[in-house]
Amino acid sequence: MRKNLLFWAFLLAVSVVNISCSSTVQNRLACQWNVTSYANPFGSSLSLTTVSAGEKYTLQFQPDGFFSFTTDCNVVSGRYSVKKNQLRFINPASTEMACDKEMVERCIKSSLPIIVSYDLPNDSTLRLLGSQGNALIELVKIN
């Protein structure tokens, strides 16, 4: 019950925070992004899996170095660091509620520790990359 209460309190806090996307180089990531596709480390395909219509997975980078990744069910949060195009997620922690559609959430959670950089090919698309330069998660900016 307490875990449930903490989850909803955190979700409310994240939804109340109204940050605007920054245009400075240092904070180019500081806004909200929707996951459009992701790598499935548990599958046999090397191609990215597209998020199904109607499902929403949101990654928010806050200017103060904190991030939160929200799903329909759980929240992953922690700190991140950016240096040029290098990106690290530091000590991500997660709520652990049982969900109907956990596979997408598990795939994304397992990718966070192995992300080493990012690519912003345009102002509205973000790719989080692994050590070989391969895209692990693709996102679009929420306006």
Side-chain angles (χ1 to χ4, degrees), residues 65-132:
F66 284 94
F67 79 91
S68 62
F69 166 64
T70 58
T71 69
D72 294 339
C73 187
N74 285 298
V75 176
V76 179
S77 61
R79 295 194 58 80
Y80 72 96
S81 68
V82 176
K83 184 177 181 182
K84 295 188 180 182
N85 73 327
Q86 296 177 343
L87 173 64
R88 298 279 185 196
F89 290 92
I90 303 162
N91 297 325
S94 174
T95 58
E96 295 291 334
M97 295 180 6
C99 311
D100 289 336
K101 299 178 182 179
E102 285 187 57
M103 184 52 73
V104 177
E105 186 175 310
R106 286 183 186 177
C107 291
I108 294 171
K109 282 172 40 177
S110 68
S111 294
L112 293 179
I114 59 174
I115 290 169
V116 298
S117 63
Y118 70 91
D119 178 37
L120 274 167
N122 58 54
D123 190 44
S124 62
T125 303
L126 172 63
R127 291 188 190 113
L128 305 182
L129 310 173
S131 61
Q132 304 298 312

Side-chain angles (χ1 to χ4, degrees), residues 14-30:
V14 167
S15 63
V16 169
V17 172
N18 184 16
I19 65 166
S20 61
C21 296
S22 175
S23 61
T24 65
V25 172
Q26 183 178 8
N27 290 324
R28 294 188 308 172
L29 301 180

